[in-house]
């Protein structure tokens, strides 16, 4: 039976969290953004967005137990609603949609949770209304919304340049095991970049390249990858939040190959040698009093449709 030609009543899209395996940051540009040379990886922590045509626009939220719903920006400030307004204006349509958002990606955590919601919203709108937007247009709209949003569409492992919005997929045959420790208290991305400017007033215009990391990725060897992980925002983030430095040391003592601040933080991520290794690090960190410790593998897909029955 062929039923697929009618417009769907609602559309669900899943989008993943990102981490940065390499985050090279150059001196601030005239437009206030920093030039980046970064290697993103999408990991298995997800937000789901279900979009339904509705009589008014709004968000209905459901959150994982480690997320405080009060931390999520209200509808008027939420990047998912900005994405909805942008794609609706681009398509020249009127009308309203409701977003049911199930959040598992830590909020203000340096894992691009808001960017994932924005990417999922663009895809959901396109499918719900049969707009047929090209990948190119979706990526352009994504870049207007935020530096990390194009990567949320692409997923996998990818190099990001420009301010992070110019994304080029990378070959990554590995399955990498990560432990992620979110923080109860978020860290503002602009604050961390501003602190980078204060700490490194003579930063080079060109961000550091990830040369060794690219060959480590291709090797599939966790120990090699561990040695090449790099984040220029880690120093500023730890200077603002010294507890993150203590957490990273602790995770490494508990057996992680390497601990790192994720993006601008405060989530910290730990590369482990295997799933068993990740379980051991989780047990160690829980024993040290960290009650929210998550395991995720990468790379995983970018924003994609969920066919619900
Ligand atoms: O692009 P996005 O909206 O995610 O950026 C949030 C803020 O992070 C920017 O307003 C800027 O302060 C900082 N940022 C930056 N350089 C980048 C990306 C973000 O300074 N490449």
């Amino acid at each position: 039976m062929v039923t697929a030609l009618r417009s769907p009543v609602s559309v669900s899209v899943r989008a993943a969290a990102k981490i940065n395996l390499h985050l090279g940051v150059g001196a601030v540009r005239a437009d206030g953004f920093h030039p980046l040379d970064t290697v993103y990886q999408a990991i298995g922590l997800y937000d789901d967005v279900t979009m339904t045509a509705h009589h008014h626009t709004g968000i209905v939220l459901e959150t994982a137990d480690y997320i405080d719903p009060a931390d999520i920006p209200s509808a008027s400030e939420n990047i998912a609603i900005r994405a909805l307004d942008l794609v609706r204006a681009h398509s020249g349509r009127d009308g309203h949609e409701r977003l049911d958002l199930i959040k598992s990606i830590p909020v203000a955590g340096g894992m691009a949770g808001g960017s994932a919601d924005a990417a999922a919203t663009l895809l959901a709108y396109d499918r719900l209304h049969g707009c047929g937007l090209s990948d190119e247009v979706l990526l352009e709209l994504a870049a207007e919304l935020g530096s990390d949003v194009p990567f949320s569409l692409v997923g996998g492992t990818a190099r990001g340049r420009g301010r992070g919005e110019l994304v080029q997929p990378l070959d990554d045959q590995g399955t990498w095991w990560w432990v992620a420790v979110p923080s109860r208290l978020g860290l503002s991305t602009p604050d961390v970049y501003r602190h980078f400017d204060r700490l490194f007033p003579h930063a080079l215009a060109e961000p550091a390249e990830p040369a060794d990391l690219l060959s480590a990725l291709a090797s599939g060897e966790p120990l090699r990858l561990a040695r090449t992980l790099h984040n220029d925002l880690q120093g500023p983030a730890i200077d603002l939040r010294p507890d993150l430095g203590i957490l990273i040391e602790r995770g490494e003592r508990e057996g992680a190959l390497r601990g790192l601040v994720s993006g601008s933080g405060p989530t910290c991520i730990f590369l482990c040698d295997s799933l068993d290794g990740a379980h051991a690090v989780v047990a160690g960190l829980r024993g040290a009093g960290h009650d929210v410790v998550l395991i995720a593998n990468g790379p995983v897909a970018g924003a994609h449709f969920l066919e619900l029955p």
Side-chain angles (χ1 to χ4, degrees), residues 28 32-36 82 115 145-148 162-164 189-190 193:
V28 64
F33 285 91
H34 293 71
L36 302 185
R82 280 205 287 124
S115 300
L145 290 162
S147 308
D148 294 337
R163 55 178 235 273
T189 301
Y193 274 105

Side-chain angles (χ1 to χ4, degrees), residues 219-267:
S219 79
E221 291 171 31
L223 201 55
R224 261 189 82 180
L225 187 67
R227 290 196 191 107
T228 60
L229 298 171
H230 175 85
N231 182 358
D232 279 336
L233 294 182
Q234 175 153 320
I238 291 178
D239 207 48
L240 292 170
R241 287 278 305 273
D243 57 307
L244 304 182
I246 295 166
L247 167 59
I248 287 172
E249 274 173 30
R250 184 63 193 243
E252 291 178 346
R253 272 213 308 281
E254 298 297 340
L257 300 179
R258 182 82 191 277
L260 198 71
V261 170
S262 174
S264 57
T267 303

Side-chain angles (χ1 to χ4, degrees), residues 10-11 22 35 55 74 76 79 85 98 135 160 178 190 197 206 209 211 216 219 240-242 247 257 261 290:
S10 66
V11 171
H22 174 92
H55 52 80
S74 62
S76 61
I79 189 171
D85 290 342
R98 181 178 114 169
D135 287 356
W178 299 96
D197 296 338
E206 287 299 313
E209 290 182 10
S219 79
L240 292 170
R241 287 278 305 273
L247 167 59
L257 300 179
V261 170
H290 295 277

Side-chain angles (χ1 to χ4, degrees), residues 80-271:
I81 297 294
R82 280 205 287 124
L84 183 54
D85 290 342
L86 182 69
V87 66
R88 193 191 284 128
H90 182 89
S91 73
R93 297 179 62 94
D94 294 325
H96 292 282
E97 291 77 19
R98 181 178 114 169
L99 302 181
D100 288 275
L101 173 56
I102 304 179
K103 270 201 90 65
S104 301
I105 305 175
V107 178
M111 301 189 97
S115 300
D117 302 345
T121 299
L122 294 178
L123 274 195
Y125 190 91
D126 183 46
R127 167 73 69 96
L128 184 68
H129 295 300
C131 306
L133 299 178
S134 65
D135 287 356
E136 205 181 13
V137 167
L138 286 167
L139 287 168
E140 274 169 22
L141 295 176
E144 261 185 67
L145 290 162
S147 308
D148 294 337
V149 183
F151 174 71
S152 297
L153 287 172
V154 172
T157 302
R159 186 126 173 217
R161 280 182 274 208
R163 55 178 235 273
E165 87 284 21
L166 305 174
V167 178
Q168 219 175 17
L170 288 171
D171 186 32
D172 179 1
Q173 301 300 325
T175 294
W176 310 100
W177 288 100
W178 299 96
V179 166
V181 184
S183 171
R184 282 191 197 291
L185 204 62
L187 203 47
S188 137
T189 301
D191 285 355
V192 177
Y193 274 105
R194 266 195 296 273
H195 203 51
F196 172 90
D197 296 338
R198 275 193 292 270
L199 291 180
F200 306 107
H202 305 298
L204 298 176
E206 287 299 313
E209 290 182 10
D212 294 341
L213 183 122
L214 297 183
S215 49
L217 266 179
S219 79
E221 291 171 31
L223 201 55
R224 261 189 82 180
L225 187 67
R227 290 196 191 107
T228 60
L229 298 171
H230 175 85
N231 182 358
D232 279 336
L233 294 182
Q234 175 153 320
I238 291 178
D239 207 48
L240 292 170
R241 287 278 305 273
D243 57 307
L244 304 182
I246 295 166
L247 167 59
I248 287 172
E249 274 173 30
R250 184 63 193 243
E252 291 178 346
R253 272 213 308 281
E254 298 297 340
L257 300 179
R258 182 82 191 277
L260 198 71
V261 170
S262 174
S264 57
T267 303
C268 289
I269 49 169
F270 297 91
L271 180 62

